[in-house]
């Protein structure tokens, strides 16, 4: 059996950490090493890690100063000795057969990495009724020429995937420190390097949507100017990478999906004052202008209206539109809000594939 290194970046998650670790140590596939990277936690997270490490010799603790999620994952990669790599965020948890499913898939298909289905959960860990990807999608190979489905199933997250460590090392893949959306940079570059992967329909991962008192997802309420500034940098890197590898047809679909997602983050944010909203819109105007350059239809009428207003620098009008949407979304369930932010793959049918010229 080949060893899987499971990297868990940890920062102040004492409330959820036990659930996460328990889901890993109880995997049906047992040839694993668990790398718990304590990223300068100030709560009892490190003590919980030590408690588990004393009882389980598969656990390694990496204790470091706070450097952010990317820095913690990179530290984990340096200590990984497995043939394969998985990532788990410390407030989430794995299905108990996740490692077994992903290991069998990557062994059988010999792809450089494998991606799988996942489900969101409520704050208490209760899974939502529907997983991220519907039953319409069966186990299938994906490639960068398949715009219709691959762009949707090769989602940007790293935690519903398994990677060959040799592939990561050979291509010097790491997480960009100081950015948000670091998963997107890592995963899209990995896909650009290999051009193909394989999708598994099984739910292997449970992503916890932590909620505030108003019921809006915590990640939205934490969307500060700094959040959007760092996401903006990540989006620029992703765009430049697709240009470098001459895969702009695929990027057009990825762009449409990303536009919807980031706009709803902006809509839901409760930490930005009026001046800060203007600042964010000005910084990200380049991104929304790509709609015209790429000739890419947007997934919904509301997002299209807001995007056009941003491009035309009608920022006051943009903010009013967003406030109307935000008020409506307050009455939605967390699941409905998330589905609205991540439209079904059929919403992208308007995008026409541009045939590459014959050489």
């Amino acid at each position: 059996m080949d060893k899987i290194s499971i990297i868990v970046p940890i920062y102040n998650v004492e409330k959820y950490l036990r659930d996460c670790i328990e889901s890993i140590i109880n995997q049906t596939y047992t040839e694993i090493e668990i790398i718990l990277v304590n990223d300068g936690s100030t709560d009892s997270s490190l003590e919980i890690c030590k408690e588990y490490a004393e009882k389980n010799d598969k656990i390694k603790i990496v204790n470091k100063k706070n450097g952010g999620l990317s820095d913690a994952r990179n530290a984990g990669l340096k200590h990984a000795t497995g043939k394969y790599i998985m990532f788990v965020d410390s407030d989430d948890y794995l299905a108990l057969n996740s490692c077994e499913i992903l290991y069998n898939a990557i062994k059988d298909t010999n792809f450089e990495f494998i991606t799988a289905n996942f489900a969101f959960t409520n704050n208490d860990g209760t899974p939502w009724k529907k997983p991220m990807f519907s039953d319409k999608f069966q186990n299938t190979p994906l490639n960068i020429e398949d715009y219709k489905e691959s762009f949707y199933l090769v989602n940007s997250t790293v935690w519903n995937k398994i990677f060959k460590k040799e592939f990561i090392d050979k291509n010097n893949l790491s997480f960009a420190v100081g950015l948000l959306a670091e998963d997107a940079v890592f995963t899209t570059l990995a896909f650009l390097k290999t051009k193909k992967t394989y999708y598994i329909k099984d739910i292997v991962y449970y992503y916890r949507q932590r909620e505030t008192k108003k019921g809006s997802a915590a990640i939205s309420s934490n969307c500060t100017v700094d959040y959007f500034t760092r996401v903006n940098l990540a989006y620029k890197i992703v765009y430049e990478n697709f240009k470098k590898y001459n895969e702009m047809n695929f990027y057009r679909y990825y762009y449409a999906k990303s536009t919807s997602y980031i706009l709803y983050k902006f809509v839901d944010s409760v930490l930005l004052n009026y001046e800060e909203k203007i600042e964010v819109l000005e910084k990200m105007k380049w991104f929304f202008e790509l709609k015209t350059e790429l000739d890419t239809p947007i997934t919904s009428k509301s997002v299209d209206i807001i995007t056009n207003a941003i491009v035309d620098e009608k920022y006051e009008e943009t903010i009013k539109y967003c406030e109307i949407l935000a008020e409506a979304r307050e009455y939605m369930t967390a699941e409905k809000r998330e589905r609205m932010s991540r439209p079904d793959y059929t919403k992208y049918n308007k995008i026409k594939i541009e045939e590459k010229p014959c050489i």
Side-chain angles (χ1 to χ4, degrees):
M1 294 172 70
D2 299 306
K3 186 192 294 181
I4 302 173
S5 297
I6 303 173
I7 297 170
V8 186
I10 297 165
Y11 180 72
N12 289 353
V13 284
E14 59 185 5
K15 183 177 179 180
Y16 310 103
L17 185 54
R18 292 181 188 278
D19 287 347
C20 176
I21 295 175
E22 289 284 344
S23 76
I24 301 173
I25 63 177
N26 289 305
Q27 285 293 302
T28 56
Y29 186 87
T30 58
E31 190 59 35
I32 61 175
E33 68 174 0
I34 306 164
I35 304 173
L36 304 178
V37 185
N38 178 52
D39 191 37
S41 295
T42 57
D43 64 0
S44 64
S45 293
L46 179 58
E47 286 67 34
I48 294 172
C49 291
K50 289 178 178 178
E51 174 191 328
Y52 277 94
E54 288 175 1
K55 298 183 252 182
N56 193 314
D57 60 7
K58 294 179 181 178
I59 293 177
K60 296 179 181 179
I61 298 176
V62 178
N63 193 30
K64 59 183 287 297
K65 292 182 180 179
N66 181 255
L69 179 60
S70 292
D71 195 50
R73 284 176 174 163
N74 289 338
L77 283 171
K78 289 177 182 177
H79 287 82
T81 62
K83 185 174 182 178
Y84 301 101
I85 302 290
M86 290 174 59
F87 299 95
V88 180
D89 285 356
S90 50
D91 51 352
D92 302 332
Y93 62 94
L94 293 176
L96 295 183
N97 60 350
S98 294
C99 292
E100 181 179 359
I101 289 170
L102 289 170
Y103 173 77
N104 288 337
I106 201 166
K107 284 288 288 184
D108 292 345
T109 63
N110 199 34
F111 283 93
E112 305 291 5
F113 71 93
I114 298 291
T115 189
N117 207 350
F118 66 94
F120 292 98
T121 81
N122 294 330
N123 191 53
D124 63 2
T126 304
W128 292 359
K129 292 180 181 179
K130 296 180 180 179
M132 179 62 205
F133 304 116
S134 73
D135 292 339
K136 185 262 182 197
F137 299 105
Q138 299 298 304
N139 295 355
T140 183
L142 308 173
N143 69 76
I144 208 160
E145 299 297 331
D146 170 27
Y147 316 109
K148 287 290 185 180
E149 292 184 2
S150 290
F151 88 96
Y152 188 68
L153 296 175
V154 185
N155 66 311
S156 298
T157 61
V158 294
W159 32 252
N160 63 325
K161 297 173 175 61
I162 187 170
F163 298 84
K164 289 182 179 178
K165 187 175 188 296
E166 180 184 29
F167 171 69
I168 291 175
D169 293 342
K170 180 177 66 177
N171 290 285
N172 296 313
L173 294 175
S174 63
F175 294 90
V177 177
L179 302 182
L180 288 173
E182 63 287 314
D183 283 32
V185 177
F186 187 97
T187 303
T188 54
L189 184 55
F191 191 48
L192 286 166
K193 292 283 187 182
T194 185
K195 310 289 187 184
K196 59 186 179 181
T197 184
Y198 197 87
Y199 169 76
I200 298 294
K201 67 179 181 179
D202 300 78
I203 299 172
V204 302
Y205 195 91
Y206 292 92
Y207 181 88
R208 192 187 306 265
Q209 285 281 31
R210 292 197 257 171
E211 296 179 355
T212 63
K213 291 180 181 179
K214 288 186 177 181
S216 59
I219 192 169
S220 295
S221 65
N222 289 332
C223 291
T224 60
V225 171
D226 180 64
Y227 169 89
F228 286 104
T229 298
R230 292 195 283 162
V231 167
N232 188 41
L233 291 173
Y235 277 20
K236 284 183 178 179
I237 293 172
V238 170
Y239 171 63
E240 292 299 330
N241 282 342
F242 273 96
K243 282 179 64 178
K244 176 183 175 182
Y245 284 86
N246 195 28
E247 294 293 351
M248 295 307 290
N249 278 339
F250 190 94
Y251 179 76
R252 293 172 71 234
Y253 286 80
Y254 180 88
Y255 170 79
K257 182 170 64 171
S258 300
T259 301
S260 179
Y261 181 76
I262 197 62
L263 264 184
Y264 280 114
K265 290 297 182 190
F266 183 79
V267 167
D268 289 342
S269 179
V270 297
L271 296 183
L272 298 175
N273 60 35
Y274 184 83
E275 290 73 21
E276 289 171 334
K277 288 179 180 179
I278 297 293
E279 180 183 346
V280 168
L281 294 173
E282 289 177 339
K283 284 181 178 178
M284 296 202 70
K285 179 174 177 282
W286 75 272
F287 178 74
F288 298 106
E289 286 178 330
L290 289 178
K291 172 195 169 188
T292 302
E293 178 185 323
L294 298 170
D295 189 24
T296 302
I298 303 303
T299 54
S300 70
K301 186 64 176 177
S302 57
V303 172
D304 194 41
I305 290 171
I306 294 172
T307 301
N308 289 337
I310 296 171
V311 171
D312 293 338
E313 298 184 5
K314 297 177 180 178
Y315 298 138
E316 183 177 353
E317 187 176 309
T318 298
I319 292 170
K320 287 180 180 178
Y321 283 141
C322 290
E323 288 173 348
I324 293 169
L325 266 179
E327 185 176 351
R329 282 166 66 84
E330 281 187 12
Y331 296 94
M332 299 178 185
T333 64
E335 184 168 359
K336 189 170 183 179
R337 285 196 305 271
E338 191 64 36
R339 295 288 174 188
M340 191 174 178
S341 303
R342 303 173 188 260
D344 181 80
Y345 82 104
T346 58
K347 299 294 183 181
Y348 304 90
N349 288 339
K350 294 178 183 177
I351 302 175
K352 297 178 182 178
I353 299 172
E354 296 178 351
E355 294 295 334
K356 293 182 179 179
C358 296
I359 298 175

